[in-house]
Amino acid sequence: DSPQVLDSLLNALADSNDGVRLKALDALRPMAGDPRVTKTLSQVLLTDANPAMRQGAIDLIVMRRDDSTVGVLQNLMRREDNSAVRLKASKVLKDWNASIGTF
């Protein structure tokens, strides 16, 4: 619950090691509603090369549903080339009655 731990976990999401990033993502699960976590997860969704990281980020980012989350998922749909990640993001958008595309 300390700010230093949160900072360390958020910084670990930028580590070059996939295993470190995945463990940090898992450790952030109880803090998924924190606005700083949501912001960092949005960056992970749009920039991380590992599809498992992007799928895990979707799992966490949906815990805080707001307009910006919908926008991030819609943006992801425009640029995502991994079918499993696209499927997961589109399912969330459909469950939220949001369009898959941006207008």
Side-chain angles (χ1 to χ4, degrees), residues 72-87:
V72 168
L73 291 172
Q74 289 170 330
N75 190 15
L76 177 69
M77 290 298 296
R78 282 196 325 235
R79 58 195 319 192
E80 182 59 53
D81 59 353
N82 182 282
S83 60
V85 176
R86 285 183 62 80
L87 181 64

Side-chain angles (χ1 to χ4, degrees), residues 42-93:
S42 297
Q43 293 170 344
V44 167
L45 275 175
L46 300 175
T47 62
D48 199 288
N50 185 329
M53 281 295 296
R54 295 192 305 273
Q55 286 182 315
I58 291 170
D59 290 339
L60 295 185
I61 203 168
V62 299
M63 293 180 177
R64 182 185 168 127
R65 179 182 175 184
D66 59 22
D67 290 341
S68 65
T69 303
V70 170
V72 168
L73 291 172
Q74 289 170 330
N75 190 15
L76 177 69
M77 290 298 296
R78 282 196 325 235
R79 58 195 319 192
E80 182 59 53
D81 59 353
N82 182 282
S83 60
V85 176
R86 285 183 62 80
L87 181 64
K88 184 174 276 243
S90 68
K91 182 179 179 337
V92 170
L93 289 169

Side-chain angles (χ1 to χ4, degrees), residues 12-24 48 50 53:
L13 290 176
D15 195 279
S16 62
N17 183 302
D18 288 348
V20 169
R21 291 196 321 276
L22 287 167
K23 288 290 186 182
D48 199 288
N50 185 329
M53 281 295 296

